[in-house]
Amino acid sequence: MILNEKYEKLKNYLISLESIAVAFSSGVDSTFLLKTAHDVLGENVIAVTAQSCSFPKRELKEAEEFCANEGIRHIVCKSEELEIEGFRHNPVNRCYLCKKELFQKNTDYSKRKQHQKYCRGFKHRR
């Protein structure tokens, strides 16, 4: 499938969701997903960014500026990875522990705001 076909497939899928909250870190993957979702769903999209001690202030500022410039509703929720059971021990699965907690908080928030789906950008590896 060529790139344009994949992009059209993504847009059609997002349209079928009708309303979404996007986990937005201001990284390439989530920025692409958020921009595309906003292009096709408009006001039915919100960006949700988790703020914590491990999330650089510079990246939070980039997320806030991007959303302001694009006219996207942006919610920042507090998170604290150091409170996650076992995270302080720096286990090999610390990224999983952190993301699981962040996605759960963001999912809970998006449900309270009546968004039907919660999406996140990710890198596809073959």
Side-chain angles (χ1 to χ4, degrees), residues 35-78:
K35 174 69 171 134
T36 303
H38 188 255
D39 285 350
V40 297
L41 295 173
E43 291 297 311
N44 291 326
V45 174
I46 61 170
V48 182
T49 301
Q51 180 183 15
S52 70
C53 63
S54 66
F55 190 63
K57 288 182 170 83
R58 170 188 52 81
E59 291 182 24
L60 178 59
K61 183 179 178 192
E62 289 173 1
E64 291 170 334
E65 288 174 353
F66 178 82
C67 289
N69 291 338
E70 294 295 324
I72 299 169
R73 288 182 295 158
H74 186 217
I75 304 303
V76 178
C77 65
K78 303 283 184 192

Side-chain angles (χ1 to χ4, degrees), residues 84-120:
I84 299 170
E85 180 75 29
F87 187 84
R88 288 177 182 259
H89 302 327
N90 200 25
V92 295
N93 68 336
R94 69 189 168 279
C95 291
Y96 167 77
L97 294 174
C98 179
K99 287 187 182 214
K100 179 181 175 189
E101 192 260 349
L102 293 175
F103 291 146
Q104 187 59 54
K105 281 189 175 205
N106 289 351
T107 298
D108 293 346
Y109 181 84
S110 65
K111 285 180 183 176
R112 284 194 313 271
K113 295 299 181 183
Q114 299 178 339
H115 283 268
Q116 295 177 350
K117 302 291 180 191
Y118 176 70
C119 299
R120 62 187 176 92

